[in-house]
């Protein structure tokens, strides 16, 4: 089985059971997994569809030829499969180690059963509010997914982990930024991995595109990952290695993901220049989400002088604090020992591409 080792990560390309056989006993502080949900429909015909049909927006080009396996079980098989793999994982987990399993409403009872059957103490359910989902007449929207969690025996209050939220609100990853059909937002995973003390080892043997691993790199944790699909494994490897390198390039860490330069008039607010137009709340919310995930934002506008100051104050009043204003990031200037006239960014966002770069329609 292919195995890659870096300073803070060990990654395996292979089936979850085979990956687990490779681990030492016990070396893991927390198991955090996002398994194939065997979901996507209430009826068995829907459940048997491929993951593209079940989890991707119909007509979307993204993920068309990249469905993944182990996602077509009925509830009985799914419970047994999960029980077996969680039991094997428990043998590699330290006493008091935690276990978190993502799931949607359909197999939520199965996960609670499997977690306990694998010998863990069930501690609760945290909620991921995706903020949107398909509306249906006369029904509540299924806009949440769940994190069923428990521990290996006792869970003392003093174990180097503070008070954590039980509700996480982050929109889905915009298609233009996706690596995986069912990718979890990085900002969400950075909050979830906090259940493991800083410096601890997190295990995810269904890592997909490696979001859990990236979250670990950016928050000072170590990571063991497994993934069956070679292409996803390669994506995960690249993302995790990049994240590990990034956190050491920028002294002080913090985990830089991407640098964006964002326009003001027409993008963050309706264009009524020189006045400031009505706020584009969805764009502002998407920028705040991206900042929480580690992205950096430079305000990039033709405004100068008092008009610029008004724009900065207006943004700050909405919680939007920029890393630089019409300038390079201070750490980029330090890194390259000059302040180039062209503002450096990975993406330049204005009203024409906000949909592609931030996933927001305006
Ligand atoms: C729901 S996805 C994980 C997505 C991930 N959280 C992300 O953000 O990219 C589940 C992954 O488990 C992988 N998988 C399915 N069966 C597996 C098995 N038996 N062993 C290891 N990985 C498996 C699939 O290929 C898929 O990429």
């Amino acid at each position: 089985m292919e195995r890659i080792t870096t300073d803070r990560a060990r990654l395996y390309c292979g089936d979850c059971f085979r990956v687990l056989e490779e681990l030492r006993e016990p070396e893991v502080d927390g198991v955090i997994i996002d398994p194939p949900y065997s979901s996507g429909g209430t009826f068995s015909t829907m459940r048997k569809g491929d993951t593209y049909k079940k989890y991707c927006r119909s007509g979307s080009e993204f993920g068309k030829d990249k469905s993944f396996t182990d996602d077509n079980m009925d509830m009985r098989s799914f419970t047994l499969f999960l029980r077996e793999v969680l039991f094997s994982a428990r043998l590699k987990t330290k006493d008091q180690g935690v276990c978190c399993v993502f799931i949607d409403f359909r197999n939520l009872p199965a996960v609670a059963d499997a977690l306990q059957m694998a010998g863990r103490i069930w501690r609760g359910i945290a909620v991921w509010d995706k903020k949107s989902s398909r509306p249906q007449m006369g029904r509540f929207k299924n806009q949440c997914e769940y994190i069923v969690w428990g521990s290996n025996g006792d869970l003392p209050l003093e174990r180097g982990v503070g008070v954590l939220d039980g509700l996480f609100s982050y929109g889905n990853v915009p298609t233009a930024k996706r690596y995986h059909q069912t990718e979890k937002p990085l900002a969400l995973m950075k909050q979830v991995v906090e259940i493991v003390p800083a410096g601890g080892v997190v295990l995810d043997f269904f890592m997909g595109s490696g979001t859990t691993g990236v979250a670990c790199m950016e928050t000072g944790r170590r990571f063991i990952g497994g993934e069956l699909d070679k292409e996803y494994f390669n994506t995960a490897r690249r993302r995790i290695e990049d994240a590990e390198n990034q956190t050491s390039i920028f002294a002080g860490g913090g985990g830089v993901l991407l640098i964006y330069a964002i326009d003001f008039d027409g993008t963050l607010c309706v264009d009524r220049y020189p006045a400031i137009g009505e706020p584009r709340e969805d764009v502002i919310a998407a920028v705040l989400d991206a900042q929480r995930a580690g992205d950096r934002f430079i305000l990039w506008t033709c405004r100068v002088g008092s008009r610029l100051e008004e724009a900065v104050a207006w943004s700050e009043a909405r919680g939007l604090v920029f890393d630089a204003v019409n300038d390079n990031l201070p750490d980029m200037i330090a890194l390259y020992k000059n302040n180039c006239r062209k503002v450096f960014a990975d993406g330049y966002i204005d009203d024409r591409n906000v949909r592609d770069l931030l996933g927001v329609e305006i």
Side-chain angles (χ1 to χ4, degrees):
M1 181 167 30
E2 184 175 351
R3 168 188 154 144
I4 304 291
T5 307
T6 70
D7 278 355
R8 285 195 286 135
R10 201 159 81 234
L11 309 177
Y12 298 87
C13 183
D15 178 72
C16 51
F17 290 100
R18 292 206 45 219
V19 170
L20 283 161
E21 280 168 17
E22 298 284 310
L23 307 193
R24 291 185 290 273
E25 269 177 45
E27 62 170 327
V28 172
D29 295 285
V31 174
I32 299 179
I33 55 167
D34 174 22
Y37 284 3
S38 277
S39 178
T42 312
F43 303 107
S44 66
T45 40
M46 293 177 191
R47 209 178 44 238
K48 285 175 188 156
D50 68 30
T51 58
Y52 169 74
K53 282 202 203 96
K54 292 197 291 186
Y55 304 130
C56 295
R57 209 181 320 142
S58 68
S60 154
E61 281 305 307
F62 179 80
K64 227 171 183 166
D65 50 1
K66 201 71 199 104
S67 284
F68 53 85
T69 55
D70 285 334
D71 202 79
N72 304 104
M73 299 178 212
D74 63 18
M75 196 185 275
R76 195 178 56 171
S77 305
F78 177 76
T79 311
L80 189 62
F81 172 70
L82 209 58
R83 185 269 167 199
E84 289 299 303
V85 76
L86 288 179
F87 180 80
S88 304
R90 185 166 72 83
L91 301 179
K92 312 292 173 153
T93 309
K94 296 175 192 166
D95 286 345
Q96 304 170 358
V98 291
C99 176
C100 302
V101 184
F102 276 86
I103 197 64
D104 71 7
F105 78 96
R106 297 181 187 88
N107 268 331
L108 180 61
V111 173
D113 286 347
L115 184 101
Q116 295 174 88
M117 284 192 265
R120 297 246 180 25
I121 295 178
W122 182 18
R123 299 268 168 197
I125 297 177
V127 176
W128 169 33
D129 168 16
K130 297 185 279 187
K131 300 204 274 195
S132 65
S133 81
R134 193 162 55 94
Q136 285 176 285
M137 283 296 272
R139 286 158 168 71
F140 293 121
K141 283 205 275 183
N142 286 312
Q143 71 188 65
C144 295
E145 292 187 19
Y146 307 94
I147 304 154
V148 178
W149 77 282
S151 64
N152 241 6
D154 204 19
L155 196 63
L157 294 179
E158 297 300 329
R159 58 181 191 98
V161 173
V163 176
L164 305 180
D165 282 342
L167 170 65
F168 312 108
S169 295
Y170 294 106
N172 256 316
V173 182
T175 310
K177 287 181 92 180
R178 267 194 197 200
Y179 298 100
H180 195 286
Q181 285 174 350
T182 59
E183 183 178 332
K184 296 292 171 285
L186 180 60
L188 165 71
M189 295 316 296
K190 283 170 80 163
Q191 282 204 265
V192 173
V193 298
E194 284 183 16
I195 193 79
V196 173
V201 175
V202 172
L203 167 65
D204 175 3
F205 38 81
F206 295 121
M207 72 175 162
S209 63
T211 316
T212 314
V214 175
C216 288
M217 294 305 106
E218 294 196 1
T219 59
R221 287 163 178 82
R222 288 169 292 154
F223 180 67
I224 302 175
E227 166 61 44
L228 188 58
D229 182 281
K230 174 75 176 153
E231 213 174 312
Y232 283 141
F233 171 81
N234 287 338
T235 303
R237 174 189 175 176
R238 184 171 44 76
R239 290 181 73 203
I240 292 166
E241 284 179 345
D242 283 354
E244 190 173 0
N245 293 337
Q246 289 274 18
T247 43
S248 50
I249 287 178
F250 289 89
V256 174
L257 194 66
L258 288 173
I259 302 169
Y260 288 114
I262 188 163
D263 195 6
F264 186 74
D265 297 282
T267 305
L268 290 168
C269 62
V270 176
D271 190 359
R272 308 230 184 276
Y273 185 82
I276 297 182
E278 301 73 40
R280 293 209 192 275
E281 303 290 0
D282 287 355
V283 178
I284 294 170
V287 172
L288 291 172
D289 274 358
Q291 283 186 325
R292 277 192 289 271
D295 289 345
R296 311 275 290 271
F297 280 83
I298 298 168
L299 180 62
W300 175 58
T301 165
C302 57
R303 286 178 176 254
V304 289
S306 60
R307 296 218 162 99
L308 178 60
E309 283 164 21
E310 277 166 24
V312 171
W314 180 93
S315 304
E316 287 183 1
R318 286 162 178 79
L320 191 51
V321 177
F322 297 102
D323 298 284
V325 174
N326 282 348
D327 201 355
N328 280 296
L329 294 182
D331 31 13
M332 293 301 286
I333 299 169
L335 189 68
Y336 293 107
K337 299 193 177 50
N338 80 33
N339 190 3
C340 175
R341 281 188 61 174
K342 178 178 186 293
V343 167
F344 171 80
D346 298 295
Y348 298 83
I349 303 175
D350 62 20
D351 52 350
R352 290 162 302 180
N353 63 9
V354 66
R355 179 170 177 273
D356 290 337
L357 292 180
L358 288 178
V360 179
E361 299 277 359
I362 61 172

